[in-house]
Amino acid sequence: MPPKAEMAGKAGMAEDESVSMQLRFVCLEYPYKQLEAATNGFHDSFRLGEGSAGTVFRAELPDGSYAAVKVIDLSTLGDNSLVAGFED
């Protein structure tokens, strides 16, 4: 990860970083094992669609609610993985 001074110098990086921080407060997080179980092991019958960065699955959560789970292929994001809110 580049030093903060270098990151701030990139156009739009400070704003993108702020959006990423905001998303952390509104996104729900689940353990991988729970998502795996909720999607029946990411089974094809739970597959809703596919986008440029990954595949979306329907998840049936233990409380009876449903969610969409996107399995992101970080290799498709290239240098934009930090901007998208994904970091090592």
Side-chain angles (χ1 to χ4, degrees):
M1 183 171 178
K4 290 285 183 190
E6 183 181 326
M7 287 176 54
K10 294 183 179 180
M13 183 58 78
E15 183 178 322
D16 291 334
E17 202 171 284
S18 174
V19 170
S20 179
M21 291 302 294
Q22 290 173 10
L23 288 175
R24 291 173 197 248
F25 292 107
V26 297
C27 293
L28 300 175
E29 294 183 13
Y30 296 94
Y32 179 84
K33 289 285 187 191
Q34 185 176 357
L35 295 176
E36 186 176 38
T39 59
N40 196 24
F42 300 100
H43 192 271
D44 201 45
S45 65
F46 280 64
R47 185 175 177 267
L48 296 174
E50 192 166 333
S52 61
T55 305
V56 179
F57 294 88
R58 181 186 78 235
E60 298 177 10
L61 301 172
D63 67 0
S65 63
Y66 292 90
V69 176
K70 186 166 194 172
V71 178
I72 297 175
D73 180 359
L74 292 177
S75 68
T76 64
L77 298 176
D79 291 338
N80 294 323
S81 62
L82 181 61
V83 173
F86 303 99
E87 51 211 35
D88 291 335

